Amino acid sequence: MDFFRPTSLADALKLKSAHPLALCINGGTDVMVELNFDRKRPETLLDLSAVTELNQWSEAGDSIVLGAGVTYSRIQTELHAQLPGLAMASRTVGSLQIRNRGGVGGNLGSASPAGDAHPALLATGATVNVSSVRGGRSIDIHEYFIAPKKSALDPDEIIISITIPKARGGQQYSKIGTRNAMVIAVCSFGLAIDLQTRKVGTGIGSAGPTPLRAVEAEAFAASHLDWEKGAALAPELLAEFGALVSAASRPIDDIRGTAAYRRHTLSVIAARSLKWAWTSTNEFRST
Amino acid sequence: MSNSTLPTKQRDHISTPVSAGLGESVARPDGTLKVTGDFAFSSDLWAEGMLWASTLRSPHPHARIKSINIAPALKINGVSAVLTHDDVPGAKLYGLEIIDQPVLAFDTIRFHGEAIAIVAADHPETAKRAAQAIIVEYEILEPVIDPDFAISGKAPVIHTGGNITRHVPILFGPQDLTADVVVKGEYEVGMQDQAPLGPESGLAIPAEDGGIDLYLSTQWLHVDRGQLATVLGLPPEKVRLTLAGVGGAFGAREDLSMQAHVSLLAMRTGKPVKIVYSREESFFGHVHRHPGKLRYEHGVTKEGKLVYVKATIVLDGGAYASSSPAVCANAACFAVGPYEVESATINSYVAYTNNPPCGAMRGFGAVQTAFAYESQMDKIAEVLGMDPIDLRLKNAMSRNSLMPTGQPIDSAAPVAEILEKLRAMPLPPLTSTTEGFDIIELPGGASNATHGEGVRRGIGYALGVKNVGFSEGFDDYSTAKVSLQIINGEPVVEVHTAAAEVGQGLVTLKGQIARTELGVQRVVVHVSDTQVGSAGSTSASRQSYVTGGAVMTACKAVRDEILLFAMEKLGHLHPHLLHFRATYLLVDGEIRDGNGTLVSSLADLVQDRIFECTREYRHRPTTPIDPITGQGLPHTQFAFAGHRAVVDVDIETGLVKVIEMATVQDVGKALNPQAIEGQIEGGTAQGLGLAILEEIQVVNGKVKNPSFTDYLIPTVLDMPPVRSIILEYADEHAPYGLRGVGEAPTISSTPAIVSAIRAATGLALTRVPVRPEHITSTM
């Protein structure tokens, strides 16, 4: 196995172009598991952890540009005000050690339906910025996930950063896992309320072949929320929202849980998330 | 040299009071090393020029091997040897109780993950790839996966002799009783894994005498040696084992796993060979806790007095016997629990199937039955409208109660006190969901699944009982060699046993015993190996008792020899030594008479002599049980414990947060209170795992979750604080009055948690582990 560890983005892109089958590794929290289990035997590993451009975040107007290698721990501590949904999702990732190494770039690279960041990114309508020697492009998160563990990334491309709108309303991330920490999602749900555009964004994890969006639920919520005054939500409305989220999922039975359980709990955590996020939306209203 | 000529300074130095003796919470020597990552485990061993071993395992649970082609593996650069069953020089089968398991499979594959071939290569990856290059042609057979079907007489026979590995009946008291109230229940226990964090690993070094030196993790060096000698075709003295750093055991290391494989490869290649299982291989490489189906019928009076218990227990032993026969007997003996009953009719079966082999795990048959009988006790209380603690109190065993085997309990059985103390312990407050609450405290924890919605509190109680030590007439002993000599003017004791320290704290305890018995501060605990007699197994909560007893006995023998020597040397000055030697003591580096008057310092008396004694210790003998009635005296000591669990359940998601575990356990005598607390908390955690998390999922004979990603053990966020009360009712038959502590806390933990979940949800919950969908699908 060849192992490259470029120290600049330009070198990294050249190497990826020369070795399109190279597997990118940064924190290693996904890749090393795959290697340990013999599920992947890449000819080449491209270690991006020394590429400083990937390990920074910056503000760009109403958005945060999050370097692909910024760790979950940093997202939690440095970006919880601007990206509350993603910060909550980050909190649920693995253990502290994993959160100190792993980042959103790796999550997107694996494109697993269970990736904890995905529902938060879907809910906020993030954009994935990728590059190759051919140039850069931005992929709408809703077009990023193509099939199980397959993304819109081309073989010579590297994920550089993710552009995520700063919160303009309540956000939530909620996950069902059999254990109280360090657990792969049985199902998960991300929600972002945008007081300015009066839109509601959703993301469903671990309940379909790819991370999914609950389009009808989004429309239902947007049209039923009391955007003007922020009136509390009726239980029936929350239940209907939960049911619509559940209906948008396409879960299967596996060792982590049954499809029926996933559908049921998705409806529960979606309804709860809407209630919580709507309450915290009031904080945005007053400012 | 007489005492009066001793320089005062030296005597002061030597007579500094000996500390870290029995009864103190002596810190374990490996504690800091393990926390900082500096402890050398068996997986850290290294030898010059060593090779690495890998195993090829069957992907099928049941198949006939048509051919094995090792040529492609041998062609790989760096491969030194590829061995199959043809290369086993001695016996091709081994086993703890029944010799039925192939060292390497031949003819038939009986479970998913069975070892077929082994490889030695210059790099672990090369070895792994070479193993994968071996071509095995299989004729796939239908696996027998249901133990009920396996023993029905209609299933294909897995081993000659039939699929019933053992049937233990117990017929106690009159067999024709009727009762006011009859409560029936059927319970199921899933397959738990011991999940020791240290994977199976070891290093084999071929010796010049044609023998082999092994450094590895195990629970019983001598029984490994006996089996290895047979398999390797060597006399036992040429198989020398030394215990390496063990990362937990819990029963998983009682059977051979990699021992024979790594030895065969070392002998074939003439080089040191090391093996370290991956976590995945570890799940295939050791036996698990028996899953079981338990059908119960309790007859009780309207007042809540047990009249009869009928139980049929079917345990799934999997493809090979391992310690199934003993587990089956234990399940039968402890089928009623710590309760008095007039009549018991127990039938315990263990079946051969094509599921993974099951054997020893902490609790050993008593765990499965405790879930069933404690569930029944709760159900009876509900039917009678009684408080579940009052019901238990009404039937609680005490000293002189009879076990269903007819065996009287001839030491303390403070069952009622355990219950009363559990009931009296303060309860934790309700989890706050007001301003500033932490989601970590709620069901789902870090996952942010609830902010209090759907959360219901439940409280449950359970009791457990289990034997300490080996049973049914087994000659259960340990050996200790203890020496005392003077080094640099200071007395030093060396303690040498073959007992496996697997994390339980025996190394610390051996030192405590020697310090206390011989009054010497400096104790060197020799590494455990086969250069001294057998210590028996580190299982059945027995090492403090049996090896502790052996160390105590050997220390007393050394003391006697020193006093005898003192009599010879100093008898003219201390005439009482002749007749009252037994009243003399070794204290703080000195010999003193019964009044505490100094006779001599050890340094002065012993000088350059070495006093050394090797002694065996046996607990009181037990007897086999009658094969028809199950009556006998199969056990030597009983351990009792109880738990109270407080849980929060989110009834809409089925997620559970255990808020607190409270426990009371009688330990006879707390020789190292901190170590006992550690055992109690660890055992409680393992019971919690079985209650709500841990299960090897086997579908059609295939293991579906051989990883810590999907086999979930409790994290620090799942394991709550433990409130424990340690009772000390000395057992007059045991060394220092101690009672084995290792297993009891695992037994009652599981049913207490499930009872609490029932209290929170109102559901019956007859299977463990309770999965979230068991709660939501029926709410």
Side-chain angles (χ1 to χ4, degrees), chain B residues 627-680:
Chain B
I628 307 297
T629 65
Q631 299 300 291
L633 305 170
H635 300 302
T636 197
Q637 190 186 53
F638 301 96
F640 298 92
H643 276 88
R644 182 190 71 195
V646 178
V647 307
D648 280 349
V649 182
D650 180 348
I651 58 167
E652 292 169 28
T653 62
L655 300 182
V656 175
K657 174 91 178 169
V658 181
I659 299 298
E660 187 199 81
M661 295 297 287
T663 180
V664 182
Q665 182 172 340
D666 175 26
V667 304
K669 168 73 188 161
L671 300 182
N672 185 331
Q674 189 186 47
I676 288 173
E677 281 171 26
Q679 285 278 21
I680 288 176

Coordinates of all heavy atoms in Angstrom, one line a residue, chain B residues 627-680:
Chain B
P627 N -28.2 -38.9 39.9 CA -28.7 -38.7 38.6 C -30.2 -38.7 38.3 O -30.7 -38.2 37.3 CB -27.9 -39.8 37.7 CG -27.6 -40.8 38.7 CD -27.4 -40.1 40.1
I628 N -30.9 -39.4 39.3 CA -32.4 -39.4 39.1 C -33.1 -38.3 39.9 O -34.0 -37.7 39.5 CB -32.9 -40.8 39.6 CG1 -32.1 -42.0 38.9 CG2 -34.4 -40.9 39.4 CD1 -32.3 -42.0 37.4
T629 N -32.6 -38.1 41.2 CA -33.3 -37.2 42.1 C -32.6 -35.9 42.2 O -33.2 -34.9 42.7 CB -33.4 -37.8 43.5 OG1 -32.1 -37.9 44.0 CG2 -34.1 -39.2 43.4
G630 N -31.4 -35.8 41.8 CA -30.6 -34.5 41.9 C -30.3 -34.2 43.4 O -29.9 -33.1 43.6
Q631 N -30.4 -35.2 44.2 CA -30.1 -34.9 45.7 C -28.6 -35.1 46.0 O -28.0 -36.0 45.4 CB -31.0 -35.8 46.6 CG -32.5 -35.5 46.4 CD -32.9 -34.1 46.7 OE1 -32.9 -33.6 47.8 NE2 -33.2 -33.3 45.6
G632 N -28.1 -34.3 46.8 CA -26.7 -34.5 47.2 C -26.2 -33.3 47.9 O -26.9 -32.4 48.3
L633 N -24.8 -33.2 48.0 CA -24.2 -32.1 48.6 C -23.2 -31.5 47.6 O -22.0 -31.6 47.8 CB -23.5 -32.5 49.9 CG -24.3 -33.2 51.0 CD1 -23.4 -33.8 52.1 CD2 -25.4 -32.3 51.6
P634 N -23.7 -30.9 46.5 CA -22.8 -30.6 45.4 C -21.9 -29.4 45.7 O -21.0 -29.1 44.9 CB -23.8 -30.4 44.3 CG -25.0 -30.0 44.9 CD -25.1 -30.7 46.2
H635 N -22.3 -28.5 46.6 CA -21.6 -27.2 46.8 C -20.9 -27.1 48.1 O -21.4 -27.6 49.1 CB -22.6 -26.1 46.5 CG -23.2 -26.1 45.1 ND1 -22.5 -26.1 44.0 CD2 -24.5 -26.2 44.8 CE1 -23.3 -26.2 42.9 NE2 -24.5 -26.3 43.4
T636 N -19.9 -26.2 48.2 CA -19.2 -26.0 49.4 C -19.6 -24.7 50.1 O -19.5 -24.6 51.3 CB -17.7 -26.2 49.2 OG1 -17.1 -26.4 50.5 CG2 -17.1 -25.0 48.6
Q637 N -19.9 -23.7 49.3 CA -20.3 -22.4 49.8 C -21.3 -21.7 48.9 O -21.2 -21.9 47.7 CB -19.0 -21.5 50.0 CG -19.2 -20.3 50.8 CD -18.0 -19.4 50.8 OE1 -17.4 -19.0 49.7 NE2 -17.5 -19.0 51.9
F638 N -22.1 -20.9 49.5 CA -23.1 -20.1 48.7 C -22.9 -18.6 48.9 O -22.6 -18.2 50.0 CB -24.5 -20.5 49.1 CG -24.8 -22.0 49.0 CD1 -24.6 -22.9 50.0 CD2 -25.1 -22.5 47.7 CE1 -24.9 -24.2 49.9 CE2 -25.4 -23.9 47.6 CZ -25.2 -24.7 48.7
A639 N -23.1 -17.9 47.8 CA -22.9 -16.5 47.9 C -24.3 -15.8 47.6 O -25.0 -16.2 46.6 CB -21.9 -16.0 46.9
F640 N -24.7 -14.9 48.4 CA -26.0 -14.2 48.2 C -25.8 -12.7 48.0 O -24.9 -12.1 48.6 CB -26.8 -14.4 49.5 CG -27.2 -15.8 49.8 CD1 -26.3 -16.5 50.7 CD2 -28.3 -16.4 49.3 CE1 -26.6 -17.9 51.0 CE2 -28.6 -17.7 49.6 CZ -27.7 -18.4 50.5
A641 N -26.6 -12.2 47.1 CA -26.6 -10.8 46.8 C -27.9 -10.3 46.4 O -28.8 -11.1 46.0 CB -25.5 -10.4 45.8
G642 N -28.2 -9.0 46.5 CA -29.4 -8.5 46.0 C -29.2 -7.1 45.4 O -28.2 -6.5 45.7
H643 N -30.1 -6.7 44.5 CA -30.0 -5.4 43.8 C -31.3 -4.7 43.9 O -32.4 -5.3 43.8 CB -29.6 -5.6 42.4 CG -28.1 -5.7 42.1 ND1 -27.5 -6.9 42.1 CD2 -27.1 -4.8 41.9 CE1 -26.2 -6.8 41.9 NE2 -25.9 -5.5 41.7
R644 N -31.2 -3.4 44.0 CA -32.3 -2.5 43.7 C -31.9 -1.7 42.5 O -30.9 -1.0 42.5 CB -32.7 -1.6 44.9 CG -33.9 -0.8 44.6 CD -34.1 0.3 45.6 NE -33.1 1.3 45.6 CZ -32.9 2.2 46.5 NH1 -33.5 2.2 47.7 NH2 -31.9 3.1 46.4
A645 N -32.8 -1.7 41.5 CA -32.5 -0.9 40.3 C -33.5 0.3 40.2 O -34.7 0.1 40.5 CB -32.5 -1.7 39.0
V646 N -33.0 1.4 39.8 CA -33.9 2.6 39.6 C -33.6 3.0 38.1 O -32.5 3.2 37.8 CB -33.6 3.7 40.5 CG1 -34.5 4.9 40.2 CG2 -33.8 3.3 42.0
V647 N -34.7 2.9 37.3 CA -34.5 3.3 35.9 C -35.5 4.3 35.5 O -36.5 4.5 36.0 CB -34.7 2.0 35.0 CG1 -33.8 0.8 35.4 CG2 -36.2 1.6 34.9
D648 N -35.0 5.1 34.4 CA -36.0 5.9 33.7 C -36.1 5.3 32.3 O -35.2 5.0 31.6 CB -35.4 7.4 33.6 CG -35.6 8.2 34.9 OD1 -36.3 7.7 35.7 OD2 -35.0 9.3 35.0
V649 N -37.4 5.2 31.9 CA -37.7 4.6 30.6 C -38.4 5.7 29.8 O -39.4 6.2 30.3 CB -38.5 3.3 30.7 CG1 -38.8 2.7 29.3 CG2 -37.9 2.3 31.6
D650 N -38.0 5.9 28.6 CA -38.8 6.7 27.7 C -39.7 5.8 26.9 O -39.3 5.0 26.1 CB -37.8 7.4 26.7 CG -38.6 8.3 25.7 OD1 -39.8 8.2 25.6 OD2 -37.9 9.1 25.0
I651 N -41.0 5.8 27.4 CA -41.9 4.7 26.9 C -42.2 5.0 25.4 O -42.8 4.1 24.7 CB -43.2 4.7 27.7 CG1 -43.9 6.0 27.7 CG2 -42.9 4.2 29.1 CD1 -45.3 5.9 28.3
E652 N -42.0 6.1 24.8 CA -42.3 6.4 23.4 C -41.1 5.9 22.5 O -41.4 5.6 21.3 CB -42.6 7.8 23.2 CG -43.9 8.3 23.9 CD -44.0 9.8 23.9 OE1 -43.5 10.5 23.0 OE2 -44.7 10.3 24.8
T653 N -39.9 5.9 23.0 CA -38.8 5.4 22.2 C -38.2 4.1 22.7 O -37.4 3.4 22.0 CB -37.6 6.4 22.2 OG1 -37.1 6.6 23.5 CG2 -38.0 7.8 21.7
G654 N -38.6 3.7 23.9 CA -38.1 2.4 24.5 C -36.7 2.5 25.0 O -36.1 1.5 25.4
L655 N -36.1 3.7 25.0 CA -34.8 3.9 25.5 C -34.8 3.9 27.0 O -35.7 4.4 27.7 CB -34.1 5.2 25.0 CG -34.0 5.2 23.4 CD1 -33.3 6.5 23.0 CD2 -33.3 4.1 22.9
V656 N -33.7 3.3 27.6 CA -33.7 3.1 29.1 C -32.4 3.8 29.6 O -31.3 3.7 29.0 CB -33.6 1.6 29.4 CG1 -33.4 1.4 30.9 CG2 -34.9 0.9 28.9
K657 N -32.6 4.5 30.7 CA -31.4 5.0 31.4 C -31.5 4.4 32.8 O -32.4 4.7 33.5 CB -31.5 6.5 31.4 CG -30.4 7.2 32.3 CD -29.2 7.5 31.5 CE -28.1 8.2 32.4 NZ -26.8 8.3 31.7
V658 N -30.5 3.7 33.2 CA -30.4 3.2 34.6 C -29.9 4.3 35.4 O -28.8 4.8 35.2 CB -29.6 1.9 34.7 CG1 -29.6 1.4 36.1 CG2 -30.1 0.8 33.7
I659 N -30.6 4.7 36.4 CA -30.3 5.9 37.2 C -29.4 5.5 38.4 O -28.5 6.2 38.7 CB -31.6 6.5 37.7 CG1 -32.5 7.0 36.5 CG2 -31.3 7.7 38.7 CD1 -31.8 8.0 35.7
E660 N -29.7 4.4 39.0 CA -28.9 3.9 40.1 C -29.0 2.5 40.3 O -30.1 1.9 40.1 CB -29.3 4.7 41.4 CG -28.4 4.4 42.6 CD -29.1 4.7 43.9 OE1 -29.8 3.9 44.4 OE2 -28.8 5.8 44.4
M661 N -27.9 1.8 40.8 CA -28.0 0.5 41.2 C -27.6 0.5 42.7 O -26.5 1.0 43.0 CB -27.0 -0.4 40.4 CG -27.4 -0.5 38.9 SD -29.0 -1.3 38.6 CE -28.6 -3.1 39.0
A662 N -28.4 -0.1 43.5 CA -28.0 -0.3 44.9 C -27.9 -1.8 45.1 O -28.7 -2.6 44.6 CB -29.1 0.3 45.8
T663 N -26.9 -2.2 45.9 CA -26.7 -3.6 46.1 C -26.2 -3.9 47.5 O -25.6 -3.1 48.2 CB -25.7 -4.2 45.1 OG1 -25.6 -5.6 45.3 CG2 -24.4 -3.5 45.1
V664 N -26.6 -5.1 48.0 CA -26.1 -5.6 49.3 C -25.6 -7.0 49.1 O -26.3 -7.8 48.4 CB -27.3 -5.6 50.3 CG1 -26.7 -6.1 51.7 CG2 -27.9 -4.2 50.5
Q665 N -24.4 -7.3 49.6 CA -23.8 -8.6 49.4 C -23.1 -9.0 50.6 O -22.4 -8.2 51.2 CB -22.9 -8.5 48.1 CG -22.3 -9.9 47.8 CD -21.5 -9.9 46.5 OE1 -21.7 -9.0 45.7 NE2 -20.6 -10.9 46.4
D666 N -23.3 -10.3 50.9 CA -22.5 -10.8 52.1 C -21.2 -11.4 51.5 O -21.2 -12.3 50.7 CB -23.3 -11.9 52.8 CG -22.5 -12.6 53.9 OD1 -21.5 -11.9 54.4 OD2 -22.7 -13.8 54.2
V667 N -20.1 -10.9 52.0 CA -18.8 -11.3 51.5 C -18.0 -12.1 52.6 O -16.8 -12.4 52.4 CB -17.9 -10.2 51.0 CG1 -18.6 -9.4 50.0 CG2 -17.5 -9.2 52.2
G668 N -18.7 -12.5 53.7 CA -18.0 -13.2 54.7 C -17.0 -12.4 55.5 O -17.3 -12.0 56.6
K669 N -16.0 -12.0 54.8 CA -15.0 -11.1 55.4 C -14.3 -10.3 54.3 O -13.9 -10.9 53.3 CB -13.9 -12.0 56.2 CG -12.7 -11.2 56.6 CD -12.9 -10.3 57.8 CE -11.7 -9.4 58.0 NZ -12.1 -8.2 58.8
A670 N -14.3 -9.0 54.4 CA -13.8 -8.2 53.4 C -12.3 -8.1 53.5 O -11.8 -7.3 54.3 CB -14.5 -6.8 53.4
L671 N -11.6 -8.9 52.7 CA -10.1 -8.9 52.9 C -9.5 -7.7 52.2 O -8.4 -7.2 52.6 CB -9.6 -10.2 52.3 CG -10.1 -11.5 52.9 CD1 -9.4 -12.7 52.3 CD2 -9.8 -11.5 54.4
N672 N -10.1 -7.2 51.1 CA -9.7 -6.0 50.5 C -10.9 -5.2 50.0 O -11.4 -5.4 48.9 CB -8.8 -6.3 49.3 CG -8.2 -5.0 48.6 OD1 -8.8 -4.0 48.7 ND2 -7.0 -5.2 48.0
P673 N -11.5 -4.3 50.9 CA -12.8 -3.7 50.6 C -12.8 -3.0 49.2 O -13.8 -3.1 48.5 CB -12.9 -2.7 51.8 CG -12.1 -3.3 52.9 CD -10.9 -4.0 52.2
Q674 N -11.8 -2.3 48.9 CA -11.8 -1.6 47.6 C -11.9 -2.6 46.4 O -12.7 -2.4 45.5 CB -10.6 -0.8 47.4 CG -10.7 0.2 46.2 CD -9.4 0.9 46.0 OE1 -8.3 0.3 46.0 NE2 -9.5 2.2 45.8
A675 N -11.2 -3.7 46.5 CA -11.3 -4.7 45.4 C -12.7 -5.3 45.4 O -13.2 -5.6 44.3 CB -10.2 -5.8 45.7
I676 N -13.3 -5.5 46.5 CA -14.6 -6.1 46.6 C -15.6 -5.1 45.9 O -16.5 -5.5 45.1 CB -15.0 -6.4 48.0 CG1 -14.2 -7.7 48.5 CG2 -16.5 -6.6 48.1 CD1 -14.4 -8.0 49.9
E677 N -15.5 -3.8 46.3 CA -16.3 -2.8 45.6 C -16.2 -2.9 44.1 O -17.1 -2.8 43.3 CB -16.0 -1.4 46.1 CG -16.6 -1.1 47.5 CD -16.1 0.2 48.0 OE1 -15.7 1.1 47.3 OE2 -16.1 0.3 49.3
G678 N -14.9 -3.1 43.6 CA -14.7 -3.2 42.2 C -15.4 -4.3 41.6 O -16.0 -4.2 40.5
Q679 N -15.3 -5.5 42.3 CA -16.0 -6.7 41.8 C -17.5 -6.4 41.7 O -18.2 -6.8 40.8 CB -15.7 -7.9 42.7 CG -14.3 -8.5 42.5 CD -14.3 -9.4 41.3 OE1 -15.1 -9.4 40.4 NE2 -13.3 -10.3 41.4
I680 N -18.0 -5.8 42.8 CA -19.5 -5.6 42.9 C -19.9 -4.7 41.7 O -20.9 -4.9 41.1 CB -19.9 -5.0 44.3 CG1 -19.7 -6.2 45.3 CG2 -21.3 -4.4 44.3 CD1 -20.0 -5.7 46.7

